[in-house]
């Protein structure tokens, strides 16, 4: 039968081994992999400014990016591909809540300046180039509404 | 927020969804942290047979923690935050939290190591608290890259709930089982080691299940898949352990409310975290469910079962002891337990149905996001109804809590 000290050894050994492995893999991910990706080299000041705006306004409190965030409003990783730059920029600069007349949900009317809106667009464009191992998956079908 | 999901977002102009959401999740986390700290203040002195090092520091720490929490909630309403899921509190407040937690740890560790005994239960609990504090730090680093930002955010979020918090939960669970079932400490603590061993064996590399689709290398697909699929073992062990100890035990302890919450926590955490977590943890499933209401389904029941219930269990155990009023086996405690749990199961089902429908419509059939959301609105009516039942249960628990009144010294002496 397992004794208490064997159980303790199992716990301590497991903790140490797996912590070391995890830190090693984190290092590999960060330094050997991510830092060498092409998209890491295209993070311009505009993209960084966009990321600051993204965080300062907690856009993640409604939307997801890379599938992370909230489930109230659309996933935005590929939003530029889907909607185009002009549409997104217009919505960000809109003085009235977006979505007000189309659905019960609305977006905060941020009324961003041209520069801020452009920075967010750059941030989305950048996000769209990251290699996400196939996320978001392309839907199998394309269903249209029956008019 | 449930109403907002039904398309009735009347409050939007005053409290937009992202504010409501940040308040909701942050209150949860702050409440749980307070619960863990309170548990430690109760358990550590008793286990180490020592008086709390400094009750005064504990009061200061409690009040300042609450002050930071209130400031953060006000800040969210003023659009002041750091919009990273679960780590929304504005940066300057982060530093206050760090100072606060250092004071807490100092107080607890001094009590523990100056005490007569350092039991396994108290060591596991203290280790969980210490590591939880350390893991908060990587979440405070700024990264220009969204990929790295997200990568290290999970050091906090995942390694908390699927790592060190399980130590805290295990420590509290072991303490309660020792007290309630009367089974020998050596047996309980042996299994505690096995459980926390399983936690780290699976949970640390299991972090990989958040690295599938954020721009990290693809080896995380199989590392995360394999190890996170093992994570339910720790929760299964927890449930079997609690049930077996209960069977073995004398079943004489009169505090039925604490017993219900203890066993309930062990079982519900297995369902909510273990089973519902495993349901979407494999990469080929997660590709479709990632960031949908399926995630919300799992998050609710996991947080409730594992952490909220264990905190409610220790409170239900401690209150009668502290106040001397034995209000633990009446209709109110029973309704509180069953209503809140049935309500939570209903909410989980509502989220689950909405989530699965969302996945099929949006991710497989290619229906637009907002149109999909319109179709699944009825499930949010169910959600709100179940949430009402849940809330009623929780209110009954709170009423029962206040009926106990203030702690009395006589009760403590007679303990
Ligand atoms: C500065 C932060 C934000 C940015 C950059 C942003 C960006 C966007 C973009 C690009 C879209 C169009 C997506 C699409 O149609 O595919 C959108 C839609 C939407 N956003 Fe935001 N968003 C932000 C914050 C918020 C917040 C805080 C809320 C909720 C209170 C919100 C709610 C919505 C809703 C409901 C829609 C869908 C509107 C519709 O098409 O019917 N957004 N947002
Ligand atoms: C008590 C323990 C647990 C709690 C409190 C918990 C809670 C949560 C929460 C709140 C999220 C959402 C995170 C976010 O998107 O920012 C999440 C995501 C996730 N959890 Fe857990 N969880 C627990 C245990 C588990 C276990 C044991 C597994 C696997 C067997 C698991 C699998 C997952 C997966 C795969 C996701 C990602 C979902 C997605 O891609 O959107 N969880 N969990
Ligand atoms: Fe996780």
């Amino acid at each position: 039968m397992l004794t208490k000290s064997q159980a303790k050894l199992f716990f301590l050994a497991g903790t140490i081994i797996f912590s070391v492995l995890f830190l090693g893999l984190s290092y590999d991910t960060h330094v050997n992999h991510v830092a060498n990706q092409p998209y890491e080299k295209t993070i311009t000041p505009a993209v960084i400014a966009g990321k600051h705006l993204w965080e300062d306004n907690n856009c993640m409190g409604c939307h997801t990016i890379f599938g992370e965030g909230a489930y109230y409003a659309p996933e935005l990783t590929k939003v530029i591909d889907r909607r185009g730059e002009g549409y997104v920029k217009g919505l960000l600069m809109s003085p009235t809540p977006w979505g007000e007349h189309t659905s019960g949900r609305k977006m905060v009317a941020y009324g961003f300046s041209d520069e801020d809106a452009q920075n967010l667009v750059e941030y989305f464009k950048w996000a769209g180039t990251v290699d996400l191992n196939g996320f978001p998956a392309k839907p199998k079908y394309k269903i249209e509404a029956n008019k | 927020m449930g109403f907002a999901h039904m398309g009735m977002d009347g409050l939007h102009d005053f409290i937009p969804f992202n504010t409501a959401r940040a308040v909701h999740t942050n209150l949860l986390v702050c409440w749980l942290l307070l619960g863990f700290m309170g548990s430690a203040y109760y358990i550590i002195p008793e286990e180490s047979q020592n008086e709390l090092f400094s009750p005064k520091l504990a009061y200061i720490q409690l009040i300042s923690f609450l002050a930071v929490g209130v400031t953060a909630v006000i800040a969210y309403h003023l659009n002041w935050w750091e919009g990273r899921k679960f780590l929304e509190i504005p940066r300057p407040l982060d530093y206050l939290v760090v100072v606060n937690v250092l004071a807490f740890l100092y107080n607890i560790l001094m009590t523990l190591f100056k005490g007569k005994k350092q039991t396994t239960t108290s060591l596991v609990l203290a280790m969980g608290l210490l590591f939880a504090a350390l893991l908060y730090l990587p979440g405070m680093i700024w990264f220009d890259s969204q990929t790295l930002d997200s990568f290290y955010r999970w050091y906090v979020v995942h390694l908390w709930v699927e790592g060190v918090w399980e130590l805290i939960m295990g420590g509290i669970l072991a303490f309660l089982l020792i007290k309630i079932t009367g089974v020998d400490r050596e047996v309980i603590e042996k299994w505690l080691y096995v459980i926390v061993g399983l936690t780290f064996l699976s949970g640390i590399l299991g972090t990989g299940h958040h690295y599938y689709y954020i721009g990290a290398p693809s080896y995380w697909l199989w590392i995360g898949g394999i190890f996170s699929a093992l994570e339910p073992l720790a929760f299964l062990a927890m449930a079997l352990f609690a049930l077996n100890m209960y069977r073995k035990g004398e079943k004489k302890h009169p505090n039925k409310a604490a017993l219900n919450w203890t066993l309930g926590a062990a079982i519900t955490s297995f369902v909510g975290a273990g089973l519902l977590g495993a349901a979407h943890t494999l990469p080929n499933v997660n590709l479709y469910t990632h960031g949908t209401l399926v995630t919300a389904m799992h998050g609710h029941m996991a947080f409730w079962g594992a952490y909220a219930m264990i905190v409610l269990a220790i409170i239900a155990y401690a209150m009668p002891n502290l106040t001397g009023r034995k209000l633990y086996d009446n209709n109110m405690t029973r309704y509180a337990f069953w209503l809140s749990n049935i309500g939570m199961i209903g909410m989980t089902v509502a989220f689950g149905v909405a989530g699965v429908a969302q996945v099929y419509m949006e991710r497989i059939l290619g229906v637009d996001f907002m149109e999909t959301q319109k179709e699944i609105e009825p499930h949010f009516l169910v959600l709100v109804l179940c949430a009402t039942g849940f809330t009623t249960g929780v209110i009954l628990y709170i009423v029962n809590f206040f009926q106990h009144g203030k702690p009395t010294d006589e009760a403590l002496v007679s303990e």
Side-chain angles (χ1 to χ4, degrees):
Chain A
M1 226 353 228
L2 183 79
T3 65
K4 189 171 169 187
S5 54
Q6 286 168 332
K8 185 174 180 178
L9 187 69
F10 166 68
F11 166 63
L12 290 177
T15 305
I16 294 169
I17 294 173
F18 286 100
S19 300
V20 170
L21 273 175
F22 181 65
L23 289 174
L25 286 166
S26 291
Y27 178 85
D28 181 66
T29 299
H30 186 154
V31 178
N32 299 339
H33 183 90
V34 176
N36 290 327
Q37 294 300 306
Y39 50 82
E40 281 299 296
K41 311 219 159 76
T42 52
I43 304 181
T44 59
V47 174
I48 297 173
K51 182 167 181 280
H52 277 288
L53 286 167
W54 172 259
E55 291 188 7
D56 291 345
N57 291 289
N58 191 17
C59 307
M60 232 192 197
C62 293
H63 296 274
T64 47
I65 187 106
F66 298 175
E68 293 181 359
Y71 320 121
Y72 182 72
E75 156 59 51
L76 298 176
T77 311
K78 300 277 180 204
V79 65
I80 305 289
D81 291 353
R82 200 165 63 231
R83 302 282 185 181
E85 254 185 84
Y87 178 101
V88 174
K89 207 166 158 186
L91 151 179
L92 289 169
M93 295 172 68
S94 161
T96 53
W98 198 254
E100 198 165 28
H101 306 294
T102 49
S103 69
R105 300 186 188 184
K106 5 179 202 185
M107 174 159 154
V108 177
Y110 289 101
F112 284 117
S113 69
D114 189 75
E115 190 192 346
D116 284 351
Q118 190 60 42
N119 288 339
L120 275 164
V121 166
E122 295 302 323
Y123 169 76
F124 290 136
K125 280 206 275 196
W126 174 82
T129 64
V130 179
D131 172 8
L132 299 181
N133 291 330
F135 182 85
K138 195 172 153 46
K140 212 165 172 180
Y141 307 92
K142 185 74 213 164
I143 304 259
E144 291 291 329
N146 236 334
K147 290 278 148 43
Chain B
M1 287 196 287
F3 283 104
H5 262 292
M6 276 195 279
M8 296 190 272
D9 201 357
L11 282 175
H12 173 88
D13 295 336
F14 317 102
I15 310 179
F17 185 83
N18 56 349
T19 301
R21 190 186 145 101
V23 171
H24 173 73
T25 53
N26 284 261
L27 275 185
L28 166 71
V29 174
C30 280
W31 180 78
L32 288 177
L33 289 175
L34 276 178
F36 293 161
M37 292 183 188
S39 315
Y41 282 136
Y42 186 86
I43 295 174
I44 299 283
E46 179 157 341
E47 286 279 299
S48 60
Q49 299 178 2
N50 189 8
E51 290 294 314
L52 183 60
F53 178 70
S54 165
K56 198 154 133 231
L57 185 60
Y59 272 113
I60 298 177
Q61 189 242 327
L62 168 66
I63 292 166
S64 58
F65 191 87
L66 287 175
V68 172
V70 172
T71 316
V73 169
I74 297 172
Y76 299 156
H77 287 83
L78 303 175
N79 201 22
W80 184 40
W81 40 27
E82 187 188 310
R84 294 159 70 228
K85 192 178 184 185
F86 291 117
L87 305 181
E88 287 95 345
I89 66 169
R91 182 49 48 88
L93 296 184
D94 274 339
Y95 295 115
L96 291 178
V97 172
V98 171
V99 174
N100 188 285
V101 170
L102 284 177
F104 164 75
L105 284 173
Y106 175 68
N107 210 354
I108 283 297
L109 294 178
M110 287 302 277
T111 313
L112 177 59
F113 288 103
K114 289 225 154 129
K116 293 198 190 67
K117 280 203 277 192
Q118 284 88 37
T119 62
T120 301
T121 303
S122 58
L123 285 174
V124 168
L125 179 61
M127 184 174 162
L129 293 164
L130 179 68
F131 281 174
L134 284 178
L135 284 169
Y136 190 69
L137 303 177
M140 289 171 54
I141 310 170
W142 166 270
F143 290 101
D144 290 339
S145 157
Q146 185 67 39
T147 297
L148 293 175
D149 185 313
S150 164
F151 190 86
Y152 289 105
R153 191 175 67 86
W154 291 113
Y155 267 54
V156 190
V157 182
H158 172 96
L159 289 176
W160 268 13
V161 301
E162 290 155 67
V164 296
W165 281 23
E166 284 181 52
L167 264 61
I168 301 175
M169 178 188 176
I172 302 177
L173 185 67
F175 175 82
L176 284 167
L177 290 173
I178 290 171
K179 297 288 165 183
I180 297 178
T181 66
V183 172
D184 183 38
R185 173 184 288 278
E186 288 303 303
V187 178
I188 291 197
E189 293 185 336
K190 177 175 90 185
W191 290 111
L192 177 61
Y193 272 133
V194 174
I195 290 171
V196 291
L198 285 172
T199 297
F200 280 157
L201 184 130
S202 59
I204 297 180
L205 290 182
T207 317
H209 66 183
H210 303 288
Y211 296 162
Y212 299 156
Y213 308 120
I214 62 167
S218 55
Y219 56 67
W220 287 110
L221 293 177
W222 59 267
I223 296 180
I226 293 172
F227 284 93
S228 70
L230 296 175
E231 281 179 39
L233 285 180
F235 287 98
L236 178 64
M238 205 116 57
L240 293 178
F241 161 68
L243 287 174
N244 273 327
M245 294 304 132
Y246 169 65
R247 270 201 219 109
K248 265 195 177 172
E250 303 158 337
K251 305 191 182 59
K252 278 207 298 255
H253 200 283
N255 192 337
K256 291 284 176 295
L259 176 69
N260 274 346
W261 287 107
T262 307
L263 296 181
I267 296 168
T268 316
S269 64
F270 171 60
V271 179
L275 290 181
L276 296 181
H280 59 155
T281 203
L282 295 178
N284 49 343
V285 177
N286 193 259
L287 178 61
Y288 291 95
T289 61
H290 181 44
T292 62
L293 292 161
V294 170
T295 312
M297 157 199 79
H298 150 72
H300 278 81
M301 194 175 237
F303 259 117
W304 167 251
Y307 302 120
M309 284 182 77
I310 199 74
V311 168
L312 295 176
I314 181 91
I315 296 176
Y317 173 77
M319 277 311 272
N321 292 349
L322 289 171
T323 62
R325 293 194 184 78
K326 305 200 179 322
L327 306 171
Y328 40 54
D329 193 18
N330 54 36
N331 279 335
M332 195 187 287
T333 59
R334 275 189 289 273
Y335 280 122
F337 178 82
W338 290 109
L339 265 178
S340 58
N341 274 294
I342 292 170
M344 177 52 74
I345 294 171
M347 283 165 63
T348 308
V349 172
F351 267 127
V353 174
V356 171
Q358 178 191 3
V359 168
Y360 277 102
M361 288 185 67
E362 185 194 328
R363 307 252 165 126
I364 294 180
L365 299 180
V367 178
D368 170 73
F369 176 91
M370 291 307 292
E371 279 168 34
T372 303
Q373 295 291 320
K374 268 226 112 40
E375 294 303 321
I376 61 181
E377 273 171 14
H379 304 302
F380 285 91
L381 178 62
V382 179
L383 180 82
V384 169
L385 289 178
C386 296
T388 315
F390 171 77
T391 314
T392 315
V394 172
I395 290 173
L396 288 178
Y397 184 99
I398 297 173
V399 172
N400 174 263
F401 174 86
F402 281 108
Q403 280 175 349
H404 281 95
K406 286 216 166 120
T408 58
D409 288 341
E410 296 95 90
L412 285 179
V413 173
S414 67
E415 250 293 292

